[in-house]
Amino acid sequence: MPISVFVLDDHEIVCRGVTALLEATDDIRVVGEARTAAEALVRIPAVRPDVAVLDVRLPDGDGVTVCRQVRAAIDPPPACLMFTSYSDDEVLFGAIRAGAAGYLLKHVSGAEMIDAVRTVAGGGSLLDPDATRRAPHRLRHGHADEDPQYAALSVQERRVLTLLADGLTNRQIGARLNLAEKTVKNYVSSMLHKLGLTRPGVPQMIRV
């Protein structure tokens, strides 16, 4: 059976381009499109795709929220592939918490997009959700040193990670810890590297 895909993007040209790219393959079929979060939340449960390619920034919301809600509404849930023009560590952590299977920047090649859809449809991941989900529990219960990745985090990085897992934005974390927002972003970038959520030399995709 072909891999069924739903595409959400508020730019018509981007949406049509992704659809045409995926439809040109033998094993992928686009079963629906949407331009807004509201449309997606109605249409995705109706067509029940294997994969949902979700633009992060939308006129009436964001793709991370759409990911969280459709994954809660559909059984089995679609593999959600976040698609964005901007590399944003805060969005990455939000996507991980929402259960996204991948995170791509829009300057990926067509071959990389197709490979990403096939990877997440087959149960693979372009990011590591378990690492971040386990982190708050380990940090709060004092078991971080059992894992060398978490042990490598500084005290301040652990504080930032815990607040990120609680849903705070970079700005809110800065206010809570009396840090500049840029400083918080630097901590987040450092944590992504230490937790193994990025791979040097692969800026388009975040793989494990």
Side-chain angles (χ1 to χ4, degrees):
M1 294 291 292
I3 300 167
S4 59
V5 179
F6 190 96
V7 181
L8 166 62
D9 199 292
D10 63 329
H11 293 93
E12 181 180 359
I13 293 177
V14 173
C15 196
R16 289 189 175 185
V18 172
T19 296
L21 171 71
L22 298 178
E23 285 280 352
T25 66
D26 294 330
D27 60 334
I28 301 174
R29 292 292 176 268
V30 175
V31 295
E33 298 178 358
R35 303 287 187 271
T36 67
E39 290 176 350
L41 289 172
V42 172
R43 295 176 183 175
I44 292 177
V47 297
R48 303 176 70 88
D50 300 315
V51 177
V53 178
L54 306 175
D55 188 8
V56 170
R57 301 190 181 191
L58 300 165
D60 62 337
D62 62 86
V64 173
T65 300
V66 173
C67 172
R68 182 182 301 109
Q69 293 187 9
V70 298
R71 285 185 57 80
I74 304 173
D75 185 23
C80 293
L81 193 56
M82 310 312 299
F83 198 41
T84 180
S85 300
Y86 308 96
S87 180
D88 188 322
D89 294 337
E90 186 176 332
V91 172
L92 171 59
F93 270 96
I96 291 172
R97 293 195 300 269
Y103 183 101
L104 297 181
L105 298 183
K106 289 187 177 180
H107 60 262
V108 294
S109 68
E112 288 171 326
M113 166 62 81
I114 293 169
D115 179 62
V117 168
R118 289 170 174 161
T119 295
V120 299
S125 176
L126 300 182
L127 46 76
D128 185 1
D130 290 337
T132 301
R133 287 175 182 157
R134 290 194 305 267
H137 175 82
R138 288 176 176 269
L139 297 179
R140 288 172 182 142
H141 293 84
H143 302 304
D145 292 337
E146 296 176 4
D147 190 313
Q149 286 183 311
Y150 299 116
L153 298 180
S154 68
V155 173
Q156 191 74 302
E157 286 171 342
R158 297 181 188 191
R159 290 171 181 158
V160 171
L161 179 58
T162 300
L163 293 175
L164 273 173
D166 288 338
L168 274 68
T169 65
N170 288 351
R171 181 172 299 179
Q172 291 170 332
I173 293 170
R176 181 78 63 87
L177 299 179
N178 196 28
L179 298 171
E181 185 175 356
K182 183 177 181 180
T183 301
V184 176
K185 289 182 178 180
N186 290 338
Y187 277 124
V188 172
S189 296
S190 175
M191 286 187 300
L192 285 172
H193 176 71
K194 290 180 179 179
L195 291 175
L197 294 173
T198 61
R199 176 185 291 179
V202 189
Q204 298 90 352
M205 299 185 186
I206 296 175
R207 290 183 177 272
V208 293

Coordinates of all heavy atoms in Angstrom, one line a residue, residues 48-105:
R48 N -7.1 10.2 7.9 CA -6.2 9.3 8.7 C -4.9 9.0 7.9 O -4.7 7.8 7.6 CB -7.0 8.1 9.1 CG -8.3 8.3 9.9 CD -9.0 7.1 10.2 NE -8.4 6.2 11.1 CZ -8.5 6.3 12.5 NH1 -9.3 7.3 13.0 NH2 -7.8 5.5 13.2
P49 N -4.1 9.9 7.7 CA -2.9 9.7 6.9 C -1.8 8.9 7.7 O -1.8 8.9 9.0 CB -2.4 11.1 6.6 CG -2.8 11.9 7.7 CD -4.1 11.3 8.1
D50 N -0.9 8.3 7.0 CA 0.2 7.6 7.7 C 1.2 8.7 8.2 O 1.8 8.5 9.3 CB 1.0 6.7 6.7 CG 0.1 5.6 6.2 OD1 -0.6 5.0 7.0 OD2 0.2 5.3 5.0
V51 N 1.4 9.8 7.4 CA 2.3 10.8 7.7 C 1.6 12.2 7.5 O 0.9 12.4 6.6 CB 3.6 10.8 6.8 CG1 4.5 11.9 7.1 CG2 4.3 9.4 7.0
A52 N 1.9 13.1 8.4 CA 1.4 14.5 8.3 C 2.6 15.4 8.2 O 3.4 15.5 9.2 CB 0.5 14.9 9.5
V53 N 2.8 16.1 7.1 CA 3.8 17.1 7.0 C 3.2 18.5 7.4 O 2.3 19.0 6.8 CB 4.3 17.2 5.5 CG1 5.4 18.3 5.4 CG2 4.9 15.9 5.1
L54 N 3.7 19.0 8.5 CA 3.1 20.2 9.2 C 4.0 21.4 9.2 O 5.1 21.4 9.8 CB 2.7 19.8 10.6 CG 1.8 18.5 10.8 CD1 1.6 18.2 12.2 CD2 0.5 18.7 10.0
D55 N 3.6 22.5 8.5 CA 4.2 23.7 8.6 C 4.2 24.2 10.1 O 3.2 24.1 10.8 CB 3.6 24.8 7.7 CG 4.3 26.1 7.6 OD1 5.5 26.1 8.1 OD2 3.8 27.0 7.0
V56 N 5.3 24.8 10.6 CA 5.3 25.2 12.0 C 4.6 26.5 12.2 O 3.8 26.6 13.2 CB 6.8 25.3 12.5 CG1 6.8 26.0 13.9 CG2 7.4 23.9 12.6
R57 N 4.7 27.5 11.4 CA 4.1 28.8 11.6 C 2.9 28.9 10.7 O 3.0 28.8 9.4 CB 5.1 29.9 11.3 CG 6.4 29.8 12.2 CD 7.2 31.0 12.1 NE 8.4 30.8 13.0 CZ 9.3 31.8 13.2 NH1 9.1 33.0 12.7 NH2 10.3 31.6 14.0
L58 N 1.8 29.1 11.3 CA 0.5 29.2 10.6 C -0.3 30.5 11.0 O 0.0 31.0 12.1 CB -0.4 28.0 10.9 CG 0.3 26.6 10.5 CD1 -0.5 25.5 11.2 CD2 0.3 26.5 9.0
P59 N -1.2 30.9 10.1 CA -1.8 32.2 10.4 C -2.8 32.1 11.6 O -3.0 33.1 12.3 CB -2.6 32.5 9.1 CG -2.7 31.2 8.4 CD -1.5 30.4 8.8
D60 N -3.2 30.9 11.9 CA -4.2 30.8 13.1 C -3.7 29.8 14.1 O -4.5 29.3 15.0 CB -5.5 30.3 12.5 CG -5.4 28.9 11.9 OD1 -4.3 28.5 11.5 OD2 -6.5 28.2 11.9
G61 N -2.4 29.6 14.2 CA -1.8 28.7 15.2 C -0.5 28.2 14.8 O 0.3 29.0 14.2
D62 N -0.1 27.0 15.2 CA 1.2 26.5 14.8 C 1.1 25.0 14.6 O 0.2 24.3 15.2 CB 2.2 26.8 15.9 CG 1.8 26.2 17.3 OD1 2.2 25.0 17.5 OD2 1.2 26.9 18.1
G63 N 2.1 24.4 13.9 CA 2.1 23.0 13.5 C 2.3 22.1 14.7 O 1.9 21.0 14.7
V64 N 3.0 22.6 15.7 CA 3.3 21.8 16.9 C 2.0 21.5 17.6 O 1.8 20.4 18.1 CB 4.3 22.5 17.8 CG1 4.5 21.7 19.2 CG2 5.7 22.6 17.2
T65 N 1.1 22.5 17.8 CA -0.2 22.2 18.4 C -1.0 21.3 17.6 O -1.7 20.4 18.1 CB -0.9 23.6 18.6 OG1 -0.1 24.4 19.4 CG2 -2.3 23.4 19.3
V66 N -1.0 21.4 16.3 CA -1.7 20.5 15.4 C -1.2 19.1 15.6 O -2.0 18.2 15.7 CB -1.6 20.9 13.9 CG1 -2.2 19.9 13.0 CG2 -2.3 22.3 13.7
C67 N 0.1 19.0 15.6 CA 0.7 17.6 15.9 C 0.2 17.0 17.2 O -0.2 15.9 17.2 CB 2.2 17.8 15.9 SG 3.1 16.3 16.5
R68 N 0.2 17.8 18.2 CA -0.2 17.3 19.5 C -1.7 16.8 19.5 O -2.0 15.8 20.0 CB 0.0 18.3 20.6 CG -0.4 17.9 22.0 CD -0.2 19.0 23.0 NE 1.2 19.5 23.1 CZ 1.6 20.7 22.6 NH1 0.7 21.5 22.1 NH2 2.8 21.0 22.7
Q69 N -2.5 17.7 18.9 CA -4.0 17.4 18.9 C -4.3 16.2 18.0 O -5.2 15.4 18.4 CB -4.7 18.7 18.6 CG -4.6 19.7 19.6 CD -5.5 20.9 19.3 OE1 -6.3 20.9 18.5 NE2 -5.2 22.0 20.1
V70 N -3.8 16.1 16.8 CA -4.1 15.0 15.9 C -3.6 13.7 16.4 O -4.2 12.7 16.3 CB -3.7 15.3 14.5 CG1 -4.4 16.5 13.9 CG2 -2.2 15.4 14.3
R71 N -2.4 13.7 17.1 CA -1.9 12.5 17.6 C -2.8 12.0 18.8 O -2.8 10.8 19.0 CB -0.5 12.7 18.0 CG 0.5 12.7 16.9 CD 2.0 12.8 17.3 NE 2.3 11.7 18.2 CZ 2.6 10.5 17.7 NH1 2.6 10.2 16.4 NH2 2.9 9.5 18.6
A72 N -3.4 12.9 19.5 CA -4.3 12.5 20.6 C -5.6 12.1 20.1 O -6.3 11.3 20.8 CB -4.4 13.7 21.6
A73 N -6.0 12.5 18.9 CA -7.4 12.3 18.4 C -7.4 11.0 17.5 O -8.5 10.5 17.3 CB -7.9 13.5 17.6
I74 N -6.3 10.5 17.0 CA -6.4 9.4 16.0 C -5.6 8.2 16.5 O -4.5 8.4 17.1 CB -5.7 9.9 14.7 CG1 -6.4 11.1 14.1 CG2 -5.8 8.8 13.6 CD1 -5.7 11.7 12.9
D75 N -6.2 7.1 16.4 CA -5.5 5.8 16.8 C -5.6 4.8 15.6 O -6.6 4.4 15.2 CB -6.2 5.3 18.0 CG -5.5 4.0 18.5 OD1 -4.3 3.9 18.3 OD2 -6.1 3.2 19.2
P76 N -4.4 4.5 15.0 CA -3.1 4.9 15.4 C -2.8 6.3 14.9 O -3.3 6.7 13.9 CB -2.2 3.9 14.7 CG -3.0 3.5 13.5 CD -4.4 3.4 14.0
P77 N -2.0 7.1 15.6 CA -1.7 8.5 15.2 C -0.8 8.5 14.0 O 0.0 7.6 13.8 CB -1.1 9.1 16.4 CG -0.4 7.9 17.1 CD -1.3 6.7 16.8
P78 N -0.9 9.6 13.2 CA 0.0 9.8 12.1 C 1.4 10.1 12.6 O 1.6 10.7 13.7 CB -0.6 10.9 11.3 CG -1.3 11.8 12.3 CD -1.8 10.7 13.3
A79 N 2.4 9.8 11.8 CA 3.8 10.3 12.1 C 3.9 11.7 11.6 O 3.6 12.0 10.5 CB 4.8 9.4 11.4
C80 N 4.2 12.6 12.5 CA 4.2 14.0 12.2 C 5.6 14.5 11.9 O 6.5 14.3 12.6 CB 3.6 14.9 13.3 SG 1.8 14.6 13.6
L81 N 5.7 15.2 10.7 CA 7.0 15.7 10.2 C 6.9 17.2 10.2 O 6.2 17.8 9.4 CB 7.3 15.1 8.8 CG 8.6 15.3 8.2 CD1 9.7 14.6 9.1 CD2 8.7 14.6 6.9
M82 N 7.6 17.9 11.2 CA 7.5 19.3 11.2 C 8.3 19.9 10.1 O 9.4 19.5 9.8 CB 8.0 19.8 12.6 CG 7.4 19.1 13.8 SD 5.6 19.0 13.8 CE 5.1 20.7 13.7
F83 N 7.8 21.0 9.5 CA 8.4 21.6 8.3 C 8.5 23.1 8.5 O 7.4 23.7 8.6 CB 7.5 21.2 7.1 CG 8.2 21.4 5.8 CD1 9.5 21.0 5.6 CD2 7.5 21.9 4.7 CE1 10.1 21.1 4.3 CE2 8.1 22.0 3.4 CZ 9.4 21.6 3.2
T84 N 9.7 23.6 8.5 CA 9.8 25.1 8.9 C 10.9 25.7 8.1 O 11.9 25.1 7.7 CB 10.0 25.2 10.4 OG1 10.1 26.6 10.7 CG2 11.3 24.5 10.8
S85 N 10.8 27.1 8.0 CA 11.8 27.8 7.3 C 13.0 28.2 8.3 O 14.0 28.7 7.8 CB 11.2 29.1 6.7 OG 10.2 28.8 5.8
Y86 N 12.7 28.1 9.6 CA 13.7 28.6 10.6 C 14.1 27.5 11.5 O 13.4 26.6 11.9 CB 13.0 29.7 11.4 CG 12.4 30.8 10.6 CD1 11.0 30.7 10.3 CD2 13.1 31.8 10.0 CE1 10.4 31.7 9.5 CE2 12.6 32.8 9.3 CZ 11.2 32.7 9.0 OH 10.6 33.7 8.2
S87 N 15.4 27.5 11.8 CA 16.0 26.6 12.8 C 15.8 27.2 14.1 O 16.4 28.2 14.4 CB 17.5 26.4 12.5 OG 18.1 25.5 13.4
D88 N 14.9 26.6 14.9 CA 14.6 27.2 16.2 C 14.6 26.1 17.3 O 13.8 25.2 17.2 CB 13.2 27.8 16.1 CG 12.8 28.6 17.3 OD1 13.1 28.2 18.5 OD2 12.1 29.6 17.2
D89 N 15.5 26.2 18.2 CA 15.7 25.1 19.2 C 14.4 25.0 20.1 O 14.0 23.9 20.5 CB 16.9 25.4 20.1 CG 18.2 25.4 19.4 OD1 18.2 24.7 18.3 OD2 19.2 26.0 19.8
E90 N 13.8 26.2 20.4 CA 12.6 26.1 21.2 C 11.5 25.3 20.5 O 10.8 24.5 21.1 CB 12.1 27.6 21.5 CG 10.9 27.7 22.4 CD 10.6 29.1 22.7 OE1 11.5 30.0 22.6 OE2 9.4 29.4 23.0
V91 N 11.3 25.6 19.2 CA 10.3 24.8 18.4 C 10.7 23.3 18.4 O 9.8 22.5 18.5 CB 10.2 25.4 17.0 CG1 9.4 24.5 16.1 CG2 9.6 26.8 17.0
L92 N 12.0 23.0 18.3 CA 12.4 21.6 18.3 C 12.0 20.9 19.5 O 11.4 19.8 19.5 CB 13.9 21.5 18.1 CG 14.5 20.1 18.3 CD1 13.9 19.1 17.4 CD2 16.0 20.2 18.2
F93 N 12.2 21.6 20.7 CA 11.8 20.9 22.0 C 10.3 20.8 22.0 O 9.8 19.8 22.6 CB 12.3 21.7 23.1 CG 13.7 21.3 23.6 CD1 14.8 21.9 23.2 CD2 13.8 20.2 24.4 CE1 16.1 21.4 23.6 CE2 15.1 19.7 24.8 CZ 16.2 20.4 24.4
G94 N 9.6 21.8 21.5 CA 8.1 21.7 21.5 C 7.7 20.6 20.6 O 6.7 19.8 21.0
A95 N 8.3 20.3 19.5 CA 8.0 19.2 18.6 C 8.2 17.9 19.3 O 7.4 17.0 19.2 CB 8.8 19.3 17.3
I96 N 9.3 17.8 20.0 CA 9.6 16.6 20.7 C 8.6 16.3 21.8 O 8.1 15.2 21.9 CB 11.0 16.7 21.4 CG1 12.1 16.7 20.4 CG2 11.2 15.5 22.4 CD1 13.5 17.0 20.9
R97 N 8.2 17.3 22.5 CA 7.1 17.1 23.6 C 5.8 16.7 22.9 O 5.0 16.0 23.6 CB 7.0 18.4 24.4 CG 8.2 18.7 25.3 CD 7.9 19.7 26.3 NE 7.4 21.0 25.8 CZ 8.2 22.0 25.5 NH1 9.5 21.9 25.6 NH2 7.7 23.1 25.0
A98 N 5.5 17.2 21.7 CA 4.3 16.9 21.1 C 4.2 15.6 20.4 O 3.2 15.1 20.0 CB 4.0 18.0 20.0
G99 N 5.4 14.9 20.4 CA 5.4 13.5 19.8 C 5.8 13.5 18.3 O 5.5 12.5 17.7
A100 N 6.3 14.6 17.8 CA 6.7 14.6 16.4 C 7.8 13.6 16.1 O 8.6 13.3 16.9 CB 7.2 16.0 16.0
A101 N 7.7 13.0 14.9 CA 8.7 12.0 14.5 C 9.9 12.6 13.7 O 10.9 12.0 13.5 CB 8.1 11.0 13.6
G102 N 9.8 13.9 13.3 CA 10.8 14.5 12.5 C 10.7 16.0 12.4 O 9.6 16.6 12.7
Y103 N 11.8 16.7 12.1 CA 11.9 18.1 12.0 C 12.8 18.5 10.8 O 13.9 18.2 10.8 CB 12.4 18.6 13.3 CG 12.5 20.1 13.5 CD1 11.6 20.8 14.3 CD2 13.6 20.8 13.0 CE1 11.7 22.1 14.5 CE2 13.7 22.2 13.2 CZ 12.8 22.8 14.0 OH 12.9 24.2 14.2
L104 N 12.2 19.1 9.8 CA 12.9 19.4 8.6 C 12.9 20.9 8.3 O 11.9 21.6 8.6 CB 12.3 18.7 7.4 CG 12.3 17.2 7.3 CD1 11.7 16.8 6.0 CD2 13.7 16.7 7.4
L105 N 14.0 21.5 7.8 CA 14.0 22.8 7.3 C 13.6 22.8 5.8 O 13.9 21.9 5.1 CB 15.4 23.4 7.5 CG 15.9 23.5 8.9 CD1 17.3 24.2 9.0 CD2 14.9 24.3 9.8

